[in-house]
Amino acid sequence: MFAAERQQEILRLAHESGRVDVLSLADEFQVTAETVRRDLKALDRAGLVRRVHGGAIPAGHLGFEPDLAERDALAADEKDLIARAALAELPADGSVILDAGTTSARLAAAFPVESTLTVVTHALPIAARLADHPGIALHLVGGRVRHRTRAAVDAWALRALGEIKADVVFLATNGFGPEDGLTTPDLAEAAVKRAAVRAARRVVLLADSAKFGQQHFARFGDLADVDLLITDSGLSDEDARAVEARGPEVVRA
C-alpha cells in the first residue's frame, strides 16, 4: 500500500470512529508505529486531522484550508509523478492555463527548456517559476491576491479568463469524487476555477489520490467537466472505474 493510499484510509477511519490510535493503525496496516506517526504528521500538516496523545482526531476539514507550504509537503512524491505525466499533455506551440495548485506548480517547474508555449496563470508562485523561461509567453491574470494560496481572484481575474480560449487547462482541486464533484474551501477560488474550465478546450485535472473522496465547502464542477484525470497509483481500480464512469479518462502515474 502506498503512503497516500494509507493516509486516505487513516482519514476515513478517523471520521468513522472519531479517533485513531497509532498502535491500532500499525497493526491494521502491518507497518511500524513510526510509519503511522509520519502519516499522521502529514495529515496534520494538511489540516485533515489533529494530533493527540497516542493518535489523532479528525479536523473539521470542510471549513479548513491549509497553507500553501503545508499542502506542498503532502504527497510530494506523488505530485512529482503526476507533474511528469502531465508533460505529455502539453500542446506543441499552443496555449495553456495553469490553475493555482502545488501540483500544477511542479508541472511548471518541469517544463522543458525548449518549450514554446503561451501560458496564462493567476498563481504568483507559478508565474515566478516561468518568468525567466526563454520559450514561454507568460500572461499573469490580475486580481485580489489570496495570501493562503498566492492566487488572484475576484472580478479582474474572472474578466481576464472570460476573454481567452486556451488549448488546455491544467486544473487543481482540493477534493474530487463521483458524487461530490470538484470542491475547494474558498468560494472566490472556486469561481476562478470554474472560469478557467470555461476558458479551455480541454480540461486536465491534476490531483493526488489522497484527495479522492474529500469534500470541501465550495463546489466548482463535476467530473463530467474533466477530459483527463492524472493521479497516482494510490487510486484503487474500483475508484478509478467510478471516476471514468462519470466521463474523464484516468491516468495513474
Side-chain angles (χ1 to χ4, degrees):
M1 181 180 289
F2 291 89
E5 185 178 5
R6 188 173 58 247
Q7 289 165 15
Q8 182 178 332
E9 184 66 8
I10 289 172
L11 188 61
R12 184 187 67 79
L13 291 170
H15 279 279
E16 282 186 357
S17 305
R19 179 188 174 104
V20 289
D21 68 88
V22 171
L23 295 181
S24 296
L25 290 173
D27 182 64
E28 171 81 14
F29 298 111
Q30 293 296 293
V31 295
T32 66
E34 186 56 34
T35 296
V36 172
R37 291 189 185 96
R38 285 196 297 269
D39 288 335
L40 294 180
K41 184 177 180 180
L43 291 168
D44 183 77
R45 282 200 307 265
L48 300 175
V49 302
R50 291 287 177 268
R51 298 284 301 279
V52 296
H53 181 69
I57 58 175
H61 68 281
L62 285 178
F64 184 85
E65 185 177 11
D67 185 76
L68 191 64
E70 294 172 347
R71 287 189 287 118
D72 191 49
L74 186 64
D77 292 341
E78 289 83 355
K79 289 174 181 178
D80 284 335
L81 290 171
I82 292 168
R84 286 197 289 271
L87 290 173
E89 302 303 317
L90 292 175
D93 302 320
S95 55
V96 305
I97 300 170
L98 290 180
D99 185 22
T102 55
T103 309
S104 46
R106 289 168 189 259
L107 170 60
F111 274 18
V113 69
E114 66 273 15
S115 295
T116 54
L117 293 167
T118 298
V119 176
V120 178
T121 186
H122 66 295
L124 296 182
I126 292 175
R129 287 177 184 266
L130 294 176
D132 294 326
H133 196 294
I136 297 296
L138 179 64
H139 297 261
L140 178 59
V141 171
R144 175 178 64 87
V145 176
R146 292 191 67 229
H147 294 298
R148 190 161 289 278
T149 59
R150 320 294 196 270
V153 296
D154 293 343
W156 287 0
L158 297 177
R159 185 163 59 247
L161 289 170
E163 295 175 350
I164 65 171
K165 200 69 173 182
D167 292 315
V168 59
V169 58
F170 292 94
L171 189 66
T173 187
N174 296 77
F176 71 98
E179 303 303 326
D180 299 318
L182 311 174
T183 60
T184 195
D186 184 77
L187 286 170
E189 294 267 6
V192 173
K193 291 177 184 295
R194 201 175 296 117
V197 169
R198 291 195 298 265
R201 298 180 185 88
R202 178 171 167 80
V203 178
V204 178
L205 179 64
L206 309 179
D208 63 82
S209 61
K211 294 175 180 175
F212 181 80
Q214 294 297 311
Q215 180 189 9
H216 296 266
F217 176 67
R219 192 173 187 274
F220 63 90
D222 295 304
L223 285 175
D225 300 322
V226 176
D227 297 292
L228 172 65
L229 164 65
I230 304 179
T231 186
D232 58 81
S233 57
L235 188 72
S236 69
D237 291 343
E238 179 182 358
D239 291 339
R241 286 193 295 270
V243 170
E244 289 185 322
R246 296 288 176 162
E249 178 189 356
V250 176
V251 169
R252 288 178 284 182

